[in-house]
């Protein structure tokens, strides 16, 4: 699977639906991959629109709830909640003064 311009730092895979969500701190993009499509078709989501990117790879990542089709991505101090079914941003969570290093979804 090709698409990110730099190393992938975080990825979540759902083998049942044959999909994956990956994040690269270099291009600051999320890619929603569909393994059913030949060549691994991907939808691109901008992890932090308008931002200069993450300060380091450990200040960003992605966590997915495949059953609910929701994801949380984080980059520096911003967290974003995504609707994976529609491929759109639902909400931006701001408030941390320092970079976020991890997040978890209650399943």
């Amino acid at each position: 699977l090709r698409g990110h311009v730099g190393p992938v730092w975080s990825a979540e895979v759902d083998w049942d639906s044959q999909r994956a969500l990956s994040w690269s701190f270099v291009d600051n993009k999320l890619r929603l991959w569909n393994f059913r499509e030949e060549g691994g078709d991907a939808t691109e989501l901008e992890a932090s629109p308008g931002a200069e990117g993450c300060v380091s790879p450990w200040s960003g990542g992605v966590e997915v709830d495949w059953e609910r089709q929701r994801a949380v991505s984080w980059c520096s101090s911003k967290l974003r909640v995504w609707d994976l079914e529609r491929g759109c941003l639902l909400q931006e969570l701001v408030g941390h003064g320092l970079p976020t290093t991890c997040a978890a979804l209650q399943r």
Side-chain angles (χ1 to χ4, degrees), residues 27-97:
D27 61 12
N28 200 26
K29 305 271 192 234
L30 296 169
R31 289 193 178 269
L32 182 59
W33 302 93
N34 183 348
F35 299 148
R36 287 182 229 159
E37 301 294 325
E38 190 168 326
D41 184 37
T43 300
E44 186 177 278
L45 308 170
E46 195 165 350
S48 191
E52 293 182 18
C54 291
V55 294
S56 64
W58 54 86
S59 69
V62 65
E63 184 75 18
V64 180
D65 182 337
W66 292 107
E67 189 175 311
R68 292 186 176 98
Q69 292 296 297
R70 296 290 189 265
V72 172
S73 66
W74 59 96
C75 181
S76 296
S77 62
K78 292 182 182 177
L79 286 88
R80 286 179 158 56
V81 180
W82 300 90
D83 180 328
L84 298 180
E85 195 168 31
R86 296 183 312 182
C88 67
L89 179 66
L90 292 176
Q91 187 174 10
E92 183 176 288
L93 308 172
V94 181
H96 291 283

